[in-house]
Amino acid sequence: MFEIQVYGDRGLRITLGDSISKETNDRIRSFSSLLEDENIKGVIEWIPTYTSISIFYDPALISYDSLRERMNSLYENISLIDVPPADVITIPVCYSKEYGPDLTNVSKHNQLTEEEVIKIHTEPDYLIYMMGFSPGFPYLGGMSEKIATPRLSSPRAKIEAGSVGIAGSQTGIYPLESPGGWQIIGRTPLKLYNPKSDHPILLRSGNYIRFTPVTEEEYQTIENAVLMGTYKPKRELFKGGEKG
């Protein structure tokens, strides 16, 4: 599937699939790689989503018709591009009562023990389909239906940054303190968004994340290292499900 649509007076949207899947995500990553290599004058930025890429441009430097023609030409080469290799970033999470106030809710809803919920939650590598909602927020795929749980009936006014939650069949991480209705099962000491860093966004669409449980003591140690700027998240090449 390949479809180009007008997206405002300075943008166009390219749809590369009609379903949320790894195959569609691979096509989006390949096309993004082509855009990066092409470095088209006038293109300001592009934003990958579940099934499309939104491209924003300066009409003083390139017209819509010219950009559309360039996009058609690029698409002809998409089959020649290998999908860029993906990394797996390990996210340490403390699943204690203090950091995971809704872990009991999730376990009771699914008739599991809290230990079983943690085990199921940390088993897969989660594909980051896209980024959005707030700076650094990853939209993840791959959570087991065994721990799917509805949102809270009454959202909280404040959820701490780094909180790991479940909403329906999705899991995610709050990069900033904000209101929210997800079931909070743990928290990571890592900063998903740090405006003071040269690389303010920790995660990137097309990569994977791997949750790993840590104790409260380990959480505090990592948090201190993060604050001092000495902590480096574990990052390795994705091997198609093999865990190193």
Side-chain angles (χ1 to χ4, degrees):
M1 181 177 185
F2 180 73
E3 183 177 275
I4 301 177
Q5 297 173 304
V6 174
Y7 199 58
D9 60 353
R10 293 170 178 263
L12 58 79
R13 182 171 61 190
I14 299 175
T15 302
L16 291 161
D18 55 9
S19 63
I20 300 172
S21 66
K22 184 181 182 303
E23 290 71 27
T24 299
N25 184 258
D26 284 346
R27 286 161 60 83
I28 288 172
R29 292 176 62 209
S30 294
F31 200 85
S32 295
S33 180
L34 286 169
L35 283 169
E36 191 166 347
D37 291 342
E38 195 73 4
N39 192 25
I40 300 170
K41 184 177 181 180
V43 170
I44 299 169
E45 64 174 338
W46 57 90
I47 302 173
T49 68
Y50 278 126
T51 59
S52 64
I53 300 175
S54 298
I55 301 173
F56 299 94
Y57 64 95
D58 183 346
L61 298 176
I62 188 169
S63 69
Y64 171 81
D65 289 338
S66 295
L67 184 57
R68 183 186 179 98
E69 185 177 340
R70 294 287 293 275
M71 295 303 99
N72 280 312
S73 297
L74 278 184
Y75 183 70
E76 292 176 1
N77 296 321
I78 194 170
S79 62
L80 305 177
I81 297 296
D82 292 330
V83 179
D87 287 338
V88 184
I89 298 90
T90 296
I91 305 293
V93 178
C94 182
Y95 293 91
S96 70
K97 298 287 186 184
E98 179 182 354
Y99 297 132
D102 301 318
L103 181 60
T104 300
N105 293 347
V106 174
S107 66
K108 287 182 177 179
H109 178 79
N110 292 286
Q111 299 181 331
L112 298 166
T113 66
E114 293 180 7
E115 290 73 20
E116 287 172 328
V117 171
I118 295 169
K119 183 177 185 297
I120 293 169
H121 189 255
T122 55
E123 276 180 347
D125 290 334
Y126 295 87
L127 174 60
I128 305 171
Y129 277 101
M130 57 182 272
M131 307 293 294
F133 166 60
S134 64
F137 182 90
Y139 285 86
L140 306 175
M143 192 188 82
S144 171
E145 290 290 337
K146 294 178 181 178
I147 54 174
T149 309
R151 294 169 181 261
L152 295 172
S153 57
S154 179
R156 291 185 174 92
K158 174 184 171 182
I159 293 180
E160 298 291 341
S163 293
V164 177
I166 289 175
S169 58
Q170 283 190 303
T171 186
I173 311 168
Y174 283 79
L176 300 171
E177 179 185 300
S178 66
W182 290 40
Q183 303 272 358
I184 303 304
I185 62 171
R187 192 188 305 169
T188 178
L190 303 191
K191 290 183 179 292
L192 273 64
Y193 173 63
N194 182 4
K196 297 180 181 179
S197 171
D198 292 337
H199 303 284
I201 305 295
L202 175 64
L203 306 175
R204 184 174 180 178
S205 61
N207 284 333
Y208 290 78
I209 68 171
R210 178 179 299 162
F211 295 113
T212 187
V214 296
T215 64
E216 289 191 14
E217 184 178 355
E218 290 170 327
Y219 179 100
Q220 296 295 335
T221 299
I222 295 171
E223 184 178 48
N224 290 335
V226 169
L227 291 173
M228 294 176 63
T230 58
Y231 185 81
K232 301 293 183 184
K234 182 180 178 182
R235 184 184 295 263
E236 58 189 281
L237 193 65
F238 178 65
K239 298 177 182 178
E242 298 177 21
K243 290 194 175 185

